[in-house]
Amino acid sequence: MLFRSIPAHNEQETIKELLNQLLRQECKGFTLHEIIVLSDNSTDNTVMRAKAVDDARIKVVETPEHFGQNKCQNTLFRMAEGEIVVFLEADMIPHSVHYLTELVTPIVNGEVACTYGATEPWLTNSGVGSLFYFVESAKVQIGRAHV
């Protein structure tokens, strides 16, 4: 079983597309059991847009105050009940339907205890998004070289 955890603070521009893309994922060797969106006291339409995606696996939770990313991730980790928990940034949208499978397969196969990094370009192909993709991709390649 796989649980997706997404901390989100004012991510109205990307949250709906991210959730729809996650629901389109081809899951091989695992089941996508639940997607938890933790809105970190968002002041925009993040919650409304996340709730607009109609799927029983999506759970939207709101914080009463701004927690920050670390506290949100800890809260989400405690909420998840699956064997594998995947954290995603709310503004990162994978473009491939194989994203989850590529990320999770080494764990399912017992090759590694965890994986980290981007296997896909971020929402944007220029500017900060492309820089983050380059850095995260380099970490993935370095990690795979040492397995």
Side-chain angles (χ1 to χ4, degrees), residues 4 6-24 35 37-38 42 44-53 58 88-95 121-125 129:
R4 301 292 305 186
I6 306 166
H9 178 71
N10 292 341
E11 299 291 351
Q12 69 180 9
E13 300 302 320
T14 56
I15 194 68
K16 189 173 181 180
E17 178 60 27
L18 171 59
L19 293 172
N20 283 321
Q21 179 62 300
L22 291 175
L23 295 171
R24 289 190 289 268
I35 301 170
V37 176
L38 181 63
S42 294
D44 65 358
N45 293 318
T46 298
V47 171
M48 179 190 72
R49 291 186 181 175
K51 288 182 176 180
V53 181
I58 298 174
L88 269 185
E89 297 294 325
D91 60 353
M92 186 244 152
I93 300 173
H95 294 283
W122 285 41
L123 181 63
T124 176
N125 289 328

Side-chain angles (χ1 to χ4, degrees), residues 129-139:
S130 62
L131 175 62
F132 281 133
Y133 173 63
F134 174 77
V135 171
E136 296 301 309
S137 297
K139 289 178 185 176

Side-chain angles (χ1 to χ4, degrees), residues 2-147:
L2 178 71
F3 287 77
R4 301 292 305 186
S5 299
I6 306 166
H9 178 71
N10 292 341
E11 299 291 351
Q12 69 180 9
E13 300 302 320
T14 56
I15 194 68
K16 189 173 181 180
E17 178 60 27
L18 171 59
L19 293 172
N20 283 321
Q21 179 62 300
L22 291 175
L23 295 171
R24 289 190 289 268
Q25 292 292 298
E26 294 179 8
C27 302
K28 296 180 181 177
F30 62 93
T31 302
L32 179 58
H33 181 74
E34 184 175 42
I35 301 170
I36 304 172
V37 176
L38 181 63
S39 174
D40 189 14
N41 200 32
S42 294
T43 57
D44 65 358
N45 293 318
T46 298
V47 171
M48 179 190 72
R49 291 186 181 175
K51 288 182 176 180
V53 181
D54 187 27
D55 191 286
R57 294 173 289 181
I58 298 174
K59 180 178 182 179
V60 180
V61 180
E62 298 178 69
T63 62
E65 61 189 60
H66 187 65
F67 283 177
Q69 186 167 1
N70 288 341
K71 188 172 181 180
C72 282
Q73 287 178 335
N74 289 336
T75 300
L76 286 163
F77 193 73
R78 285 190 301 272
M79 293 173 71
E81 299 174 3
E83 298 167 2
I84 299 173
V85 178
V86 175
F87 287 100
L88 269 185
E89 297 294 325
D91 60 353
M92 186 244 152
I93 300 173
H95 294 283
S96 168
V97 295
H98 306 289
Y99 176 77
L100 287 179
T101 299
E102 291 176 8
L103 192 63
V104 172
T105 296
I107 298 170
V108 171
N109 291 342
E111 298 168 17
V112 296
C114 67
T115 58
Y116 172 77
T119 62
E120 302 277 326
W122 285 41
L123 181 63
T124 176
N125 289 328
S126 63
V128 175
S130 62
L131 175 62
F132 281 133
Y133 173 63
F134 174 77
V135 171
E136 296 301 309
S137 297
K139 289 178 185 176
V140 170
Q141 296 307 318
I142 291 167
R144 288 184 180 155
H146 291 96
V147 173

